[in-house]
Amino acid sequence: MVPENVNDNEYESTRLGSPLHRRSFLGGSIAAAVTTSLGGATTADAATGAGPKAGPATSTGSTGSAGLKVGAGRAAIDIPSSLLPLDGFTTVHDDLYVRILLLENGSRRVALAVLDLTSVSAEVITLMRTAIAKASGIAPADIVVTVTHTFSAPHVQASTTSTAAAQYVQQIAKATTSAVAAAVEGLRPARVGFGTGTCDVNVNRDVRTIDGWWLGTGEAGPSDKSVGVTRFDDLDGTPIAVLVNYSVQSSVMMESVMANGDLPITADLAGAAVGHVEKEYDGDVVGFFLVGSCGDQSPAFRSKRYTIDKDRKWSRTDAQDAGWLLLTVQGERLGTEAVRVSETIQTSGGGPGSTVRLVTDSVTVDTMPTGHPTGPTKTYDFTPNGTADIPVWILQVGNGVFVGVAPELSTDTALAIRKHSPFPHTAVMSMLEGGSKNMAEAQSYARITYEAMDSQYARGSAETVAARIGEMLHALRP
């Protein structure tokens, strides 16, 4: 599928909805805001820090630089042996990476940073935004940070926690500096294209046991097998970056202890898939894994896994070192499909008609006490006891959009967003801005699944967020 680009040469950093919610997810860097005629929207000129003015805050850039430009860079997070053990991990099987994508239209830029981590702290996000802003001139509010959600990476603790934690944070910042430098150096005129494939390496993880709903391989449950692929080429047709959007947690090797007692660090399924993509393009392309509705999606085959017997009793077993074959095969399979789809894409645009637009908003939902489920149950108290604002990001590039939130969304929620999107290519993402707990769909609360118990968001939150995202998408493309 090769959609035509929207005839719009303006980059906009816009907040839809009123009143304006000032949130730390934008680093407190939003400048003055003004109300516009876009459905009562609020617009911020975050990049220039300009004061209040009439009309929407947009920038067309200079005539000579108008048009889409793209740069991509990656750098490994160095974890020396002197840092180990770290958060229980004792060895490094394969490197964790920071990958950065720069998008420019005219004189304005937006950055997307993807880290091979489970989640990331506000401290690290601030350091990353500082490094990216310094190297690229991008405003902190125009830098989107997300993770691949691999469970085989050390959690990022505050620098004040320990010397090791502080060094780990600095290693992530160092990798960010290297990755953004490469992206800035490689920034050049570009074209974009989109495609969709199918890959069966994920499975719904909700299974009914004798004690209630728990984790396993729920073959009958909803599972989105689609692989969304975005490719950026330079004007000579040479690929710059390939983005892969797929709904799965990177947890093939999660908690799997090797025969020698080691707990290894690995970028897991996400790393294996984009690593395959990068290898197929001889290392000249930067691959990005954009985790989709991962809340209820597990890899089809895991090393340490739950099993359910004929009497619906559950237990766990660990394949240990044999798990690496499971990871290799599934990563290769997903990466192969991503490359196949990439090779069918005919990129287009690149001129003044290539829209780059970042839109943010927040949605207020009910909250409840966060649970810490350790097993199935048939009773649970989901009574709301407060509210929270959920940030929403929409990045539009040409005729495609990437829409994301911090919580882990479930399959039905993401499918509903895509179904009602007016854009030909809609990538739904979880784990933005460091990530958050599950935001389960309504059925999970009725069943009392792990996702519902693990959530801090009350029943109906996912549906509320999905509805607001739909409004935002239609406002972008009425």
Side-chain angles (χ1 to χ4, degrees), residues 406-468:
E408 295 181 61
L409 298 177
S410 294
T411 299
D412 286 347
T413 305
L415 290 176
I417 292 170
R418 282 171 40 195
K419 178 181 179 180
H420 296 289
S421 172
F423 287 87
H425 175 84
T426 302
V428 179
M429 301 164 57
S430 299
M431 303 303 296
L432 270 65
E433 198 64 13
S436 182
K437 288 288 189 178
N438 281 281
M439 181 177 281
E441 84 294 340
Q443 181 176 245
S444 284
Y445 294 87
R447 290 179 168 179
I448 314 180
T449 65
Y450 175 91
E451 294 80 37
M453 292 187 286
D454 184 57
S455 180
Q456 67 188 48
Y457 308 110
R459 182 173 183 169
S461 296
E463 290 73 20
T464 298
V465 169
R468 181 57 188 140

Short mmCIF file of all heavy atoms in Angstrom, two decimals, residues 406-468:
data_model
loop_
_atom_site.label_atom_id
_atom_site.label_comp_id
_atom_site.label_asym_id
_atom_site.label_seq_id
_atom_site.Cartn_x
_atom_site.Cartn_y
_atom_site.Cartn_z
N ALA A 406 1.41 6.04 27.25
CA ALA A 406 2.36 5.40 28.17
C ALA A 406 1.90 4.01 28.62
O ALA A 406 2.72 3.10 28.71
CB ALA A 406 2.59 6.30 29.37
N PRO A 407 0.62 3.80 28.94
CA PRO A 407 0.21 2.48 29.41
C PRO A 407 0.31 1.41 28.34
O PRO A 407 0.32 1.70 27.14
CB PRO A 407 -1.26 2.69 29.83
CG PRO A 407 -1.41 4.16 30.02
CD PRO A 407 -0.48 4.77 29.03
N GLU A 408 0.35 0.15 28.80
CA GLU A 408 0.29 -0.99 27.88
C GLU A 408 -1.16 -1.21 27.46
O GLU A 408 -2.00 -1.58 28.29
CB GLU A 408 0.80 -2.25 28.56
CG GLU A 408 2.26 -2.22 28.95
CD GLU A 408 2.69 -3.53 29.61
OE1 GLU A 408 2.61 -4.59 28.95
OE2 GLU A 408 3.09 -3.49 30.79
N LEU A 409 -1.44 -0.97 26.19
CA LEU A 409 -2.78 -1.20 25.68
C LEU A 409 -2.98 -2.67 25.35
O LEU A 409 -2.03 -3.41 25.13
CB LEU A 409 -3.02 -0.35 24.44
CG LEU A 409 -2.94 1.16 24.61
CD1 LEU A 409 -3.13 1.86 23.27
CD2 LEU A 409 -3.98 1.65 25.62
N SER A 410 -4.24 -3.09 25.29
CA SER A 410 -4.58 -4.45 24.89
C SER A 410 -5.04 -4.48 23.44
O SER A 410 -5.32 -3.44 22.84
CB SER A 410 -5.67 -5.02 25.80
OG SER A 410 -5.17 -5.18 27.13
N THR A 411 -5.13 -5.68 22.89
CA THR A 411 -5.41 -5.86 21.47
C THR A 411 -6.69 -5.18 21.02
O THR A 411 -6.72 -4.46 20.02
CB THR A 411 -5.49 -7.36 21.14
OG1 THR A 411 -4.23 -7.96 21.45
CG2 THR A 411 -5.79 -7.58 19.66
N ASP A 412 -7.79 -5.42 21.73
CA ASP A 412 -9.08 -4.87 21.30
C ASP A 412 -9.05 -3.35 21.23
O ASP A 412 -9.67 -2.74 20.34
CB ASP A 412 -10.19 -5.34 22.24
CG ASP A 412 -10.57 -6.80 22.03
OD1 ASP A 412 -10.16 -7.37 21.00
OD2 ASP A 412 -11.26 -7.37 22.90
N THR A 413 -8.33 -2.72 22.15
CA THR A 413 -8.23 -1.27 22.15
C THR A 413 -7.50 -0.77 20.91
O THR A 413 -7.96 0.16 20.23
CB THR A 413 -7.50 -0.78 23.41
OG1 THR A 413 -8.15 -1.29 24.57
CG2 THR A 413 -7.49 0.75 23.47
N ALA A 414 -6.38 -1.38 20.60
CA ALA A 414 -5.60 -0.96 19.44
C ALA A 414 -6.36 -1.21 18.14
O ALA A 414 -6.32 -0.38 17.22
CB ALA A 414 -4.27 -1.69 19.41
N LEU A 415 -7.03 -2.34 18.05
CA LEU A 415 -7.81 -2.64 16.84
C LEU A 415 -8.92 -1.62 16.64
O LEU A 415 -9.22 -1.22 15.51
CB LEU A 415 -8.39 -4.05 16.93
CG LEU A 415 -7.38 -5.20 16.81
CD1 LEU A 415 -8.08 -6.54 17.00
CD2 LEU A 415 -6.67 -5.17 15.45
N ALA A 416 -9.55 -1.19 17.73
CA ALA A 416 -10.61 -0.19 17.63
C ALA A 416 -10.06 1.14 17.15
O ALA A 416 -10.69 1.82 16.32
CB ALA A 416 -11.29 -0.02 18.99
N ILE A 417 -8.88 1.54 17.65
CA ILE A 417 -8.26 2.79 17.21
C ILE A 417 -7.96 2.74 15.73
O ILE A 417 -8.26 3.68 14.98
CB ILE A 417 -6.98 3.05 18.02
CG1 ILE A 417 -7.32 3.36 19.48
CG2 ILE A 417 -6.17 4.21 17.41
CD1 ILE A 417 -6.13 3.41 20.40
N ARG A 418 -7.37 1.66 15.27
CA ARG A 418 -7.03 1.54 13.85
C ARG A 418 -8.27 1.48 12.97
O ARG A 418 -8.31 2.05 11.88
CB ARG A 418 -6.15 0.31 13.63
CG ARG A 418 -4.71 0.56 14.03
CD ARG A 418 -3.86 -0.69 14.01
NE ARG A 418 -4.13 -1.58 12.90
CZ ARG A 418 -3.72 -2.83 12.86
NH1 ARG A 418 -3.06 -3.34 13.88
NH2 ARG A 418 -3.97 -3.58 11.81
N LYS A 419 -9.30 0.78 13.44
CA LYS A 419 -10.52 0.65 12.66
C LYS A 419 -11.17 1.99 12.38
O LYS A 419 -11.68 2.23 11.28
CB LYS A 419 -11.51 -0.26 13.39
CG LYS A 419 -12.84 -0.43 12.67
CD LYS A 419 -13.79 -1.33 13.46
CE LYS A 419 -15.13 -1.47 12.75
NZ LYS A 419 -16.06 -2.35 13.53
N HIS A 420 -11.12 2.88 13.35
CA HIS A 420 -11.80 4.17 13.21
C HIS A 420 -10.87 5.30 12.75
O HIS A 420 -11.30 6.45 12.65
CB HIS A 420 -12.47 4.54 14.53
CG HIS A 420 -13.56 3.58 14.94
ND1 HIS A 420 -14.77 3.50 14.29
CD2 HIS A 420 -13.60 2.64 15.92
CE1 HIS A 420 -15.51 2.56 14.86
NE2 HIS A 420 -14.83 2.02 15.85
N SER A 421 -9.61 4.97 12.49
CA SER A 421 -8.68 6.00 12.03
C SER A 421 -8.94 6.37 10.57
O SER A 421 -9.16 5.49 9.73
CB SER A 421 -7.24 5.50 12.16
OG SER A 421 -6.33 6.42 11.56
N PRO A 422 -8.91 7.66 10.23
CA PRO A 422 -9.10 8.07 8.85
C PRO A 422 -7.82 7.97 8.03
O PRO A 422 -7.83 8.26 6.83
CB PRO A 422 -9.55 9.53 9.00
CG PRO A 422 -8.86 10.00 10.24
CD PRO A 422 -8.84 8.81 11.16
N PHE A 423 -6.70 7.58 8.65
CA PHE A 423 -5.42 7.50 7.95
C PHE A 423 -5.20 6.09 7.40
O PHE A 423 -5.49 5.10 8.08
CB PHE A 423 -4.28 7.88 8.89
CG PHE A 423 -4.21 9.34 9.21
CD1 PHE A 423 -4.95 9.86 10.26
CD2 PHE A 423 -3.43 10.20 8.45
CE1 PHE A 423 -4.91 11.20 10.56
CE2 PHE A 423 -3.37 11.55 8.75
CZ PHE A 423 -4.12 12.06 9.81
N PRO A 424 -4.66 5.97 6.20
CA PRO A 424 -4.41 4.66 5.60
C PRO A 424 -3.44 3.81 6.40
O PRO A 424 -3.53 2.59 6.42
CB PRO A 424 -3.83 5.00 4.22
CG PRO A 424 -4.27 6.38 3.94
CD PRO A 424 -4.33 7.07 5.26
N HIS A 425 -2.47 4.46 7.05
CA HIS A 425 -1.51 3.73 7.87
C HIS A 425 -1.55 4.30 9.28
O HIS A 425 -1.21 5.46 9.50
CB HIS A 425 -0.09 3.87 7.31
CG HIS A 425 0.95 3.23 8.19
ND1 HIS A 425 1.26 1.89 8.13
CD2 HIS A 425 1.74 3.75 9.16
CE1 HIS A 425 2.21 1.62 9.02
NE2 HIS A 425 2.51 2.73 9.66
N THR A 426 -1.96 3.47 10.24
CA THR A 426 -2.04 3.90 11.64
C THR A 426 -1.29 2.89 12.51
O THR A 426 -1.69 1.73 12.61
CB THR A 426 -3.50 4.00 12.11
OG1 THR A 426 -4.20 4.93 11.27
CG2 THR A 426 -3.56 4.48 13.55
N ALA A 427 -0.20 3.33 13.10
CA ALA A 427 0.56 2.50 14.02
C ALA A 427 0.17 2.88 15.44
O ALA A 427 0.28 4.05 15.82
CB ALA A 427 2.06 2.69 13.80
N VAL A 428 -0.29 1.91 16.22
CA VAL A 428 -0.67 2.15 17.62
C VAL A 428 0.47 1.67 18.51
O VAL A 428 0.95 0.55 18.37
CB VAL A 428 -1.98 1.43 17.98
CG1 VAL A 428 -2.34 1.68 19.44
CG2 VAL A 428 -3.10 1.89 17.05
N MET A 429 0.92 2.53 19.42
CA MET A 429 2.08 2.24 20.25
C MET A 429 1.76 2.33 21.73
O MET A 429 0.99 3.18 22.16
CB MET A 429 3.20 3.23 19.91
CG MET A 429 3.66 3.20 18.47
SD MET A 429 4.64 4.67 18.02
CE MET A 429 5.96 4.57 19.24
N SER A 430 2.37 1.44 22.50
CA SER A 430 2.35 1.50 23.96
C SER A 430 3.72 1.92 24.46
O SER A 430 4.67 2.01 23.69
CB SER A 430 2.00 0.12 24.55
OG SER A 430 0.73 -0.32 24.15
N MET A 431 3.82 2.20 25.76
CA MET A 431 5.10 2.41 26.44
C MET A 431 5.81 3.71 26.07
O MET A 431 7.04 3.79 26.14
CB MET A 431 6.03 1.22 26.21
CG MET A 431 5.47 -0.11 26.64
SD MET A 431 4.97 -0.14 28.40
CE MET A 431 6.52 0.09 29.22
N LEU A 432 5.09 4.74 25.68
CA LEU A 432 5.71 6.04 25.45
C LEU A 432 6.01 6.72 26.77
O LEU A 432 5.42 6.40 27.80
CB LEU A 432 4.81 6.93 24.60
CG LEU A 432 5.03 6.81 23.07
CD1 LEU A 432 4.67 5.44 22.57
CD2 LEU A 432 4.26 7.89 22.33
N GLU A 433 6.95 7.63 26.72
CA GLU A 433 7.36 8.42 27.89
C GLU A 433 7.76 7.54 29.07
O GLU A 433 7.41 7.81 30.22
CB GLU A 433 6.25 9.39 28.28
CG GLU A 433 6.70 10.53 29.17
CD GLU A 433 7.71 11.47 28.50
OE1 GLU A 433 7.87 11.39 27.25
OE2 GLU A 433 8.31 12.29 29.20
N GLY A 434 8.49 6.48 28.77
CA GLY A 434 9.00 5.63 29.82
C GLY A 434 8.14 4.44 30.16
O GLY A 434 8.58 3.51 30.81
N GLY A 435 6.86 4.48 29.75
CA GLY A 435 5.98 3.35 29.98
C GLY A 435 5.19 3.46 31.28
O GLY A 435 5.49 4.25 32.17
N SER A 436 4.14 2.65 31.35
CA SER A 436 3.27 2.64 32.52
C SER A 436 2.64 1.26 32.63
O SER A 436 2.90 0.38 31.82
CB SER A 436 2.19 3.73 32.37
OG SER A 436 1.36 3.79 33.50
N LYS A 437 1.81 1.08 33.63
CA LYS A 437 1.16 -0.20 33.84
C LYS A 437 0.09 -0.46 32.77
O LYS A 437 -0.19 0.39 31.92
CB LYS A 437 0.51 -0.24 35.22
CG LYS A 437 1.51 -0.34 36.37
CD LYS A 437 2.12 -1.73 36.43
CE LYS A 437 2.94 -1.92 37.69
NZ LYS A 437 3.52 -3.29 37.78
N ASN A 438 -0.51 -1.64 32.84
CA ASN A 438 -1.53 -2.03 31.87
C ASN A 438 -2.76 -1.12 31.92
O ASN A 438 -3.13 -0.62 32.98
CB ASN A 438 -1.98 -3.46 32.14
CG ASN A 438 -1.01 -4.49 31.61
OD1 ASN A 438 -1.00 -4.78 30.43
ND2 ASN A 438 -0.18 -5.03 32.49
N MET A 439 -3.35 -0.93 30.75
CA MET A 439 -4.66 -0.29 30.65
C MET A 439 -5.54 -1.26 29.88
O MET A 439 -5.60 -1.27 28.66
CB MET A 439 -4.58 1.06 29.93
CG MET A 439 -5.92 1.76 29.82
SD MET A 439 -5.81 3.39 29.03
CE MET A 439 -5.21 4.38 30.40
N ALA A 440 -6.19 -2.14 30.63
CA ALA A 440 -6.94 -3.25 30.04
C ALA A 440 -8.28 -2.80 29.49
O ALA A 440 -8.85 -1.78 29.90
CB ALA A 440 -7.14 -4.34 31.09
N GLU A 441 -8.79 -3.59 28.54
CA GLU A 441 -10.13 -3.34 27.99
C GLU A 441 -11.17 -3.87 28.97
O GLU A 441 -10.86 -4.62 29.90
CB GLU A 441 -10.26 -3.97 26.60
CG GLU A 441 -10.64 -5.44 26.57
CD GLU A 441 -9.57 -6.35 27.13
OE1 GLU A 441 -8.39 -5.94 27.23
OE2 GLU A 441 -9.91 -7.50 27.49
N ALA A 442 -12.44 -3.51 28.76
CA ALA A 442 -13.50 -3.80 29.73
C ALA A 442 -13.63 -5.28 30.06
O ALA A 442 -13.86 -5.65 31.23
CB ALA A 442 -14.83 -3.26 29.21
N GLN A 443 -13.48 -6.16 29.07
CA GLN A 443 -13.67 -7.59 29.31
C GLN A 443 -12.68 -8.14 30.33
O GLN A 443 -13.00 -9.07 31.08
CB GLN A 443 -13.53 -8.36 27.99
CG GLN A 443 -13.74 -9.86 28.15
CD GLN A 443 -13.69 -10.60 26.84
OE1 GLN A 443 -14.69 -11.18 26.40
NE2 GLN A 443 -12.55 -10.58 26.18
N SER A 444 -11.48 -7.56 30.38
CA SER A 444 -10.48 -8.04 31.32
C SER A 444 -10.91 -7.85 32.77
O SER A 444 -10.59 -8.67 33.64
CB SER A 444 -9.14 -7.32 31.08
OG SER A 444 -8.49 -7.81 29.94
N TYR A 445 -11.64 -6.77 33.03
CA TYR A 445 -12.12 -6.52 34.39
C TYR A 445 -13.21 -7.52 34.77
O TYR A 445 -13.29 -7.97 35.91
CB TYR A 445 -12.62 -5.10 34.52
CG TYR A 445 -11.52 -4.07 34.37
CD1 TYR A 445 -11.16 -3.60 33.11
CD2 TYR A 445 -10.82 -3.60 35.48
CE1 TYR A 445 -10.13 -2.67 32.96
CE2 TYR A 445 -9.80 -2.68 35.33
CZ TYR A 445 -9.46 -2.22 34.07
OH TYR A 445 -8.45 -1.33 33.91
N ALA A 446 -14.04 -7.89 33.79
CA ALA A 446 -15.08 -8.88 34.04
C ALA A 446 -14.47 -10.25 34.31
O ALA A 446 -14.95 -11.01 35.16
CB ALA A 446 -16.03 -8.93 32.86
N ARG A 447 -13.39 -10.56 33.60
CA ARG A 447 -12.74 -11.86 33.77
C ARG A 447 -11.76 -11.89 34.94
O ARG A 447 -11.37 -12.95 35.41
CB ARG A 447 -11.98 -12.22 32.49
CG ARG A 447 -12.88 -12.56 31.31
CD ARG A 447 -12.05 -12.88 30.08
NE ARG A 447 -12.84 -13.47 29.02
CZ ARG A 447 -12.35 -13.82 27.83
NH1 ARG A 447 -11.05 -13.65 27.57
NH2 ARG A 447 -13.13 -14.36 26.92
N ILE A 448 -11.33 -10.70 35.38
CA ILE A 448 -10.29 -10.56 36.41
C ILE A 448 -8.98 -11.16 35.89
O ILE A 448 -8.43 -12.11 36.46
CB ILE A 448 -10.70 -11.18 37.77
CG1 ILE A 448 -12.13 -10.78 38.16
CG2 ILE A 448 -9.73 -10.76 38.86
CD1 ILE A 448 -12.59 -11.35 39.49
N THR A 449 -8.50 -10.60 34.81
CA THR A 449 -7.25 -11.07 34.22
C THR A 449 -6.06 -10.40 34.90
O THR A 449 -6.20 -9.44 35.66
CB THR A 449 -7.20 -10.73 32.72
OG1 THR A 449 -7.18 -9.30 32.56
CG2 THR A 449 -8.40 -11.32 31.98
N TYR A 450 -4.87 -10.88 34.55
CA TYR A 450 -3.64 -10.27 35.06
C TYR A 450 -3.58 -8.80 34.68
O TYR A 450 -3.21 -7.95 35.50
CB TYR A 450 -2.42 -11.01 34.50
CG TYR A 450 -1.10 -10.38 34.89
CD1 TYR A 450 -0.44 -10.78 36.04
CD2 TYR A 450 -0.52 -9.37 34.11
CE1 TYR A 450 0.77 -10.20 36.41
CE2 TYR A 450 0.67 -8.78 34.48
CZ TYR A 450 1.32 -9.20 35.62
OH TYR A 450 2.51 -8.61 35.98
N GLU A 451 -3.94 -8.48 33.43
CA GLU A 451 -3.84 -7.09 32.96
C GLU A 451 -4.73 -6.16 33.78
O GLU A 451 -4.33 -5.03 34.09
CB GLU A 451 -4.24 -7.00 31.47
CG GLU A 451 -3.30 -7.71 30.53
CD GLU A 451 -3.54 -9.21 30.47
OE1 GLU A 451 -4.72 -9.62 30.54
OE2 GLU A 451 -2.55 -9.97 30.38
N ALA A 452 -5.92 -6.62 34.14
CA ALA A 452 -6.83 -5.79 34.95
C ALA A 452 -6.29 -5.61 36.36
O ALA A 452 -6.30 -4.51 36.92
CB ALA A 452 -8.22 -6.41 34.98
N MET A 453 -5.79 -6.69 36.96
CA MET A 453 -5.28 -6.60 38.33
C MET A 453 -3.98 -5.80 38.39
O MET A 453 -3.69 -5.15 39.40
CB MET A 453 -5.05 -8.01 38.90
CG MET A 453 -6.33 -8.78 39.14
SD MET A 453 -6.03 -10.36 40.00
CE MET A 453 -5.29 -11.33 38.67
N ASP A 454 -3.19 -5.84 37.33
CA ASP A 454 -1.91 -5.16 37.29
C ASP A 454 -2.05 -3.67 36.97
O ASP A 454 -1.08 -2.92 37.00
CB ASP A 454 -1.03 -5.83 36.22
CG ASP A 454 0.37 -5.25 36.16
OD1 ASP A 454 1.07 -5.27 37.20
OD2 ASP A 454 0.77 -4.78 35.08
N SER A 455 -3.26 -3.24 36.70
CA SER A 455 -3.50 -1.87 36.24
C SER A 455 -3.74 -0.91 37.40
O SER A 455 -4.18 -1.30 38.48
CB SER A 455 -4.71 -1.85 35.31
OG SER A 455 -4.97 -0.53 34.86
N GLN A 456 -3.46 0.36 37.14
CA GLN A 456 -3.85 1.42 38.07
C GLN A 456 -5.02 2.21 37.51
O GLN A 456 -5.47 3.17 38.11
CB GLN A 456 -2.66 2.36 38.31
CG GLN A 456 -2.25 3.18 37.09
CD GLN A 456 -0.98 3.94 37.31
OE1 GLN A 456 0.02 3.42 37.77
NE2 GLN A 456 -0.99 5.22 36.95
N TYR A 457 -5.51 1.77 36.35
CA TYR A 457 -6.59 2.47 35.67
C TYR A 457 -7.90 1.69 35.80
O TYR A 457 -7.94 0.48 35.59
CB TYR A 457 -6.24 2.67 34.20
CG TYR A 457 -4.89 3.31 34.02
CD1 TYR A 457 -3.81 2.58 33.51
CD2 TYR A 457 -4.65 4.63 34.40
CE1 TYR A 457 -2.56 3.15 33.37
CE2 TYR A 457 -3.40 5.21 34.26
CZ TYR A 457 -2.36 4.46 33.74
OH TYR A 457 -1.12 5.03 33.62
N ALA A 458 -8.98 2.39 36.11
CA ALA A 458 -10.26 1.74 36.35
C ALA A 458 -10.91 1.30 35.04
O ALA A 458 -10.52 1.73 33.95
CB ALA A 458 -11.19 2.71 37.09
N ARG A 459 -11.89 0.45 35.18
CA ARG A 459 -12.62 -0.06 34.02
C ARG A 459 -13.21 1.10 33.22
O ARG A 459 -13.76 2.05 33.78
CB ARG A 459 -13.74 -0.98 34.49
CG ARG A 459 -14.55 -1.61 33.36
CD ARG A 459 -15.52 -2.64 33.90
NE ARG A 459 -16.25 -3.30 32.83
CZ ARG A 459 -17.01 -4.39 33.00
NH1 ARG A 459 -17.13 -4.90 34.21
NH2 ARG A 459 -17.64 -4.93 31.98
N GLY A 460 -13.07 1.02 31.90
CA GLY A 460 -13.57 2.06 31.01
C GLY A 460 -12.50 3.05 30.57
O GLY A 460 -12.72 3.82 29.63
N SER A 461 -11.33 3.00 31.21
CA SER A 461 -10.26 3.95 30.87
C SER A 461 -9.78 3.76 29.43
O SER A 461 -9.59 4.73 28.69
CB SER A 461 -9.08 3.78 31.83
OG SER A 461 -9.45 4.11 33.14
N ALA A 462 -9.57 2.51 29.03
CA ALA A 462 -9.08 2.24 27.68
C ALA A 462 -10.06 2.74 26.63
O ALA A 462 -9.65 3.31 25.61
CB ALA A 462 -8.83 0.74 27.50
N GLU A 463 -11.33 2.52 26.88
CA GLU A 463 -12.35 2.96 25.92
C GLU A 463 -12.41 4.49 25.84
O GLU A 463 -12.59 5.06 24.75
CB GLU A 463 -13.70 2.39 26.31
CG GLU A 463 -13.83 0.88 26.13
CD GLU A 463 -13.07 0.05 27.14
OE1 GLU A 463 -12.73 0.58 28.23
OE2 GLU A 463 -12.81 -1.14 26.87
N THR A 464 -12.20 5.15 26.98
CA THR A 464 -12.19 6.62 27.00
C THR A 464 -11.01 7.16 26.21
O THR A 464 -11.14 8.11 25.41
CB THR A 464 -12.12 7.13 28.45
OG1 THR A 464 -13.29 6.70 29.17
CG2 THR A 464 -12.05 8.65 28.50
N VAL A 465 -9.84 6.56 26.42
CA VAL A 465 -8.64 7.00 25.71
C VAL A 465 -8.79 6.74 24.21
O VAL A 465 -8.44 7.60 23.39
CB VAL A 465 -7.40 6.28 26.27
CG1 VAL A 465 -6.19 6.52 25.37
CG2 VAL A 465 -7.11 6.75 27.68
N ALA A 466 -9.30 5.58 23.84
CA ALA A 466 -9.47 5.25 22.42
C ALA A 466 -10.42 6.23 21.73
O ALA A 466 -10.19 6.65 20.59
CB ALA A 466 -9.98 3.83 22.26
N ALA A 467 -11.47 6.60 22.43
CA ALA A 467 -12.44 7.55 21.85
C ALA A 467 -11.79 8.91 21.62
O ALA A 467 -12.01 9.55 20.58
CB ALA A 467 -13.65 7.69 22.77
N ARG A 468 -10.98 9.37 22.58
CA ARG A 468 -10.31 10.66 22.41
C ARG A 468 -9.29 10.61 21.28
O ARG A 468 -9.17 11.57 20.51
CB ARG A 468 -9.64 11.08 23.73
CG ARG A 468 -8.95 12.43 23.65
CD ARG A 468 -9.90 13.54 23.23
NE ARG A 468 -9.21 14.80 22.98
CZ ARG A 468 -9.51 15.63 21.99
NH1 ARG A 468 -10.47 15.33 21.14
NH2 ARG A 468 -8.85 16.76 21.84
#
